[in-house]
Each structure stands twice: as C-alpha cells, then as structure tokens.
C-alpha cells in the first residue's frame, strides 16, 4: 500500500496546516462500486478531506467501516437508501462525486448506458439540488456528455443552477494521453501535460498534441485513436466485468484534490473538465471540456482552445457534431422525464 505521502507528494505537510482552517466534506454517490471503493480509499488518504461521506443503494456502510480504520484524520460515514440516507449523506457537502450507474460491456458504446444511467443521475442530482445546492458536483457516470446536461437541467428546474459548480470528469482522458505519449517518447508521464478537449466519448475526445510540445504527433492517427478509444481497451480486457475503475478512481481523486487546493486558496490550479462553457455556445453547444482554472467558487476561468493545426481542426469538427447530439439528448430527457 502506498502511503498518503507517496500519493499526494510534497503537498501533504502544507495541506495538514491548511486543513485545520478548512473543513471539507466530500461525498461519493455510488461508493460501493468498482470506482467508488478505490475512490473512497484515495479520498481517505487525502489530508485535505476532513469528512468523507459514502452513499450507495447497497453496501456503503460496509465500505465506510473498512475505510474508516485507515489512520488518517478524516471521519468516515456510510449511508444506505433509507428514507433520509441520501439527504443525510449529502448534507453540508463541499464536493459530491457521482460514479453511480452501470458500466459498459464489450460491444457497447457509452451512449448505450443512457437508458439506465440518465434516471440515476437525474434523481441523485435532484437530491444534491435540494440538500447541497452550493457543492461542487463532479459527474463520473456515463455518458458524461449527456449526464452533465441532465444534472444542469435538474438544478435549473430547482432554481439553484450555478454553472461554476458543475463538472464532468474528463481527467482520465488527460491521464491516459500523458501515459500513452510517454510510452512513445520514452519520457516521464508526469512531464507530459497533454491538452485534451471536447467531451468524453470516442471522437468527442480531442487531444491537442500541437500545443502540448508534440506537433509531430498530430498526424499519428493510431495515437489519436488510442486516446479517443482508450476506454474500450479496458472494457475489452475486462471482458464483461466492467470498465476502467482504478485509473478512474485516481483521475477522480485528482480532480477532487485540484478543487480542494483551489478552494483552500491555491492560485493557478488548472484541470481539463467538461463544463458549461462559452467556447461553442454560438453553435448551440453549451458544454465543452477544455482547460479550466479552478478557484474557491468552482470555475474561475475557461481557457480558450488556442491554436490548432489542420488535423486537429478536423477532429474538432467531428467532435462538435457528436457532442451537440449527446448534450441535446440529456436536455430532452429531463424535459420529458422530470424528476419526481
Ligand atoms: P459499478 O457497477 O461497479 O458501480 C456502480 C455503483 O453505483 C454500484 O455500487 C451501484 O450499487 C451504485 N448505484 C446504482 N444506482 C445508484 C443510485 N441510484 N444511487 C447510488 N448508487 C447507485 O460501476 P463502475 O465501474 O464504478 O462505473 C460507474 C460509472 O462510471 C459507469 O457509468 C461508468 O461508465 C462510469 N465511468 C466513467 C468514467 C469517466 O471517465 N468519466 C470512467 C470510468 C467509468
Ligand atoms: C473510460 O473512459 O474508461 C470510461 O468512460 C469507461 C468506459 O466506458 O470506457
């Protein structure tokens, strides 16, 4: 087992002194699942988290009991689907991570998960809107391109939508891209800061190698495809037992850590994430993933796309077509299936 120091590096000592002044309740909805369990573990190891709240329709108290024995300072509580379980779990949350829902099997697209996961995310979003409307909501459940707009519509209907506080977690695309590039270049992945924009599904995932120190890689179609379809590699390898869980837990924990760093006063924290974005609103696309500077209020600044080469311009065009459909599908779902 790696120590908290090994995972969170040099930030740990500073964070301990900061956390004395900053109480951070982080809640995981879907905490018993393949992502939920390792994510809960990583959050328990994060000294910036002072209260960890774990909710699932099955088994969360058991996961919470297990994780609670880890000798870090935070308290841990598990909640099940009792009459007040979800509201109790959410009360006072600063960050809510949502990996609740079904994962893919080989041969499925993320959109094939829509029928099951749309209503799960809708209902959990309603509970968040009612109980912790000011929390940062981090959506992991697929299809992210649709589940994020679903959450936004639910918050709008409740009159509490704050576009600065809603995030689709696309961190795994960036994690993968840096790893895959480092394999090709023989570099250290931590030095490969690859910009990935768009959405989180197939061709909506657009790596921008030209502005990440590797203009030679934009014409490497195999690499571009590997970044866009990296999730399929894991789905196929797991052969029916689900999709990425461990790498996703690491990516989700990184996104939560970045928000906590920003909330606790660190300037210049930038993460790529799928947010309510002005970048393509003129084309009817309300959400887009790009580099986002985080702050105490959530989204601080959305970076422009920047310069792209002609190959990347083509990738962006394909991305926008699919993304628009995925977003509209989420919006239409809530319009015709409002939460009860
Ligand atoms: P899993 O089946 O192992 O776990 C899902 C958990 O959600 C289960 O414990 C289940 O009981 C719980 N759950 C279901 N309905 C719920 C509800 N209404 N309230 C609370 N909990 C509920 O699945 P997993 O492998 O952890 O994947 C979860 C989701 O994350 C999938 O939709 C998957 O596609 C997605 N995912 C996203 C990314 C990303 O990059 N954004 C990466 C990997 C997986
Ligand atoms: C991923 O990128 O690994 C996830 O979105 C899960 C999946 O279905 O591929």
């Amino acid at each position: 087992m790696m120590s908290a120091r090994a995972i969170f590096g040099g930030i740990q000592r500073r964070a301990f002194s900061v956390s004395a002044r900053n109480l951070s309740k982080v809640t995981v909805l879907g905490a018993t699942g393949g992502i939920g369990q390792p994510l809960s573990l990583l959050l328990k190891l994060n000294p910036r988290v002072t209260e960890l709240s774990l909710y699932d329709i099955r088994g969360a108290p058991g996961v919470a009991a297990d994780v609670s024995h880890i000798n870090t300072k935070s308290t841990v509580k598990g909640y099940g689907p009792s009459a007040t379980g979800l509201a109790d779990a959410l009360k006072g949350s600063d960050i809510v991570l949502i990996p609740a829902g079904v994962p893919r099997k080989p041969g499925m697209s993320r959109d094939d998960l829509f029928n099951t996961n749309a209503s799960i995310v809708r209902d959990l979003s309603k509970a968040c809107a009612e109980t912790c409307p000011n929390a940062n909501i981090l959506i992991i459940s697929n299809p992210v391109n649709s589940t994020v707009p679903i959450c936004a519509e639910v918050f709008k209907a409740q009159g509490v939508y704050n576009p600065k506080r809603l995030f689709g977690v696309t961190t795994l695309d960036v994690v993968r891209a840096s790893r895959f590039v480092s394999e090709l270049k023989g570099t250290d992945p931590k030095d490969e800061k690859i910009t990935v924009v768009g959405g989180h599904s197939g061709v909506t995932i657009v790596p921008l190698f030209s502005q990440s120190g590797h203009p030679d890689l934009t014409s490497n179609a195999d690499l571009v495809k590997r970044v866009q379809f990296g999730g399929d590699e894991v789905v196929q390898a797991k052969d029916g037992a689900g999709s990425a869980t461990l790498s996703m837990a690491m990516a989700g924990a990184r996104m939560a850590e970045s928000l906590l760093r920003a909330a606790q006063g660190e300037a210049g924290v930038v993460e790529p994430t799928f947010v309510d974005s002005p970048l393509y609103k003129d084309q009817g696309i309300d959400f887009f993933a790009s580099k986002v500077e985080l702050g105490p209020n959530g989204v601080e600044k959305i970076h422009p796309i920047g310069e792209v080469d002609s190959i990347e311009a083509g990738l962006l065009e394909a991305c926008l077509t699919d993304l628009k459909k995925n977003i509209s599908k989420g919006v239409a779902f809530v319009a015709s299936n409002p939460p009860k």
Side-chain angles (χ1 to χ4, degrees), residues 8-338:
F8 294 104
I11 57 172
Q12 194 195 20
R13 201 174 314 119
R14 188 155 40 96
F16 265 123
S17 62
V18 170
S19 66
R21 284 175 283 115
N22 293 276
L23 300 179
S24 300
K25 175 170 176 177
V26 179
T27 299
V28 180
L29 306 181
T32 311
I35 296 167
Q37 292 202 39
L39 176 59
S40 302
L41 169 63
L42 292 173
L43 293 168
K44 178 64 177 136
L45 295 177
N46 187 335
R48 294 181 196 272
V49 177
T50 55
E51 197 180 339
L52 184 58
S53 170
L54 307 181
Y55 172 83
D56 201 295
I57 50 170
R58 60 177 176 90
V63 175
D66 186 355
V67 165
S68 75
H69 288 188
I70 293 170
N71 60 340
T72 55
K73 282 187 174 175
S74 52
T75 58
V76 186
K77 231 170 156 180
Y79 302 86
S82 66
T84 61
L86 182 52
D88 290 343
L90 289 170
K91 199 169 170 208
S93 297
D94 299 296
I95 293 179
V96 181
L97 292 123
I98 309 186
V102 292
R104 286 198 284 164
K105 290 189 187 325
M108 291 172 82
S109 71
R110 290 182 185 80
D111 189 54
D112 291 334
L113 304 172
F114 187 96
N115 286 345
T116 307
N117 290 352
S119 54
I120 292 174
V121 171
R122 175 198 61 193
D123 296 346
L124 293 175
S125 299
K126 177 157 185 253
C128 293
E130 285 170 351
T131 307
C132 54
N134 298 319
N136 291 308
I137 311 292
L138 278 57
I139 308 274
I140 295 171
S141 316
N142 272 317
V144 165
N145 294 354
S146 305
T147 50
V148 170
I150 286 173
C151 182
E153 289 305 303
V154 171
F155 269 64
K156 282 179 199 167
Q158 298 290 119
V160 292
Y161 181 52
N162 178 353
K164 292 181 186 302
R165 296 269 190 209
L166 175 60
F167 305 87
V169 181
T170 57
T171 324
L172 183 53
D173 300 318
V174 179
V175 166
R176 282 187 179 129
S178 74
R179 174 68 211 176
F180 297 165
V181 167
S182 76
E183 284 171 15
L184 274 181
K185 295 283 184 181
T187 50
D188 186 334
K190 84 168 165 28
D191 299 328
E192 298 294 352
K193 313 271 187 253
I194 311 297
T195 303
V196 183
V197 301
H200 177 68
S201 185
V203 299
T204 70
I205 299 170
V206 179
L208 299 178
F209 296 122
S210 71
Q211 50 182 259
S212 312
H214 299 293
D216 56 311
L217 292 180
T218 66
S219 56
N220 186 332
D222 288 343
L223 176 66
V224 171
K225 189 161 182 227
R226 192 168 183 216
V227 172
Q228 293 185 319
F229 294 90
D232 295 47
E233 261 182 43
V234 182
V235 170
Q236 276 152 27
K238 289 200 174 179
D239 196 19
S243 55
T245 54
L246 303 173
S247 49
M248 181 59 236
M250 176 270 171
R254 168 175 142 176
M255 185 64 196
E257 158 74 357
S258 292
L259 274 161
L260 289 169
R261 279 164 53 209
Q264 294 173 357
E266 188 174 325
V269 180
V270 175
E271 281 290 353
T273 172
F274 186 67
V275 292
D276 191 317
S277 169
L279 294 180
Y280 292 97
K281 277 204 196 270
D282 61 345
Q283 296 185 42
I285 295 163
D286 285 338
F287 295 87
F288 195 80
S290 63
K291 288 200 278 189
V292 173
E293 190 171 329
L294 307 172
N297 302 313
V299 172
E300 191 73 34
K301 180 180 164 203
I302 294 172
H303 288 243
I305 295 297
E307 273 187 35
V308 299
D309 72 11
S310 60
I311 297 173
E312 292 166 337
L315 295 175
L316 273 171
E317 221 173 287
C319 158
L320 295 176
T321 308
D322 267 27
L323 198 49
K324 193 169 184 174
K325 288 185 210 151
N326 296 158
I327 294 169
S328 305
K329 188 169 174 178
V331 173
F333 172 79
V334 180
S336 43
N337 305 276

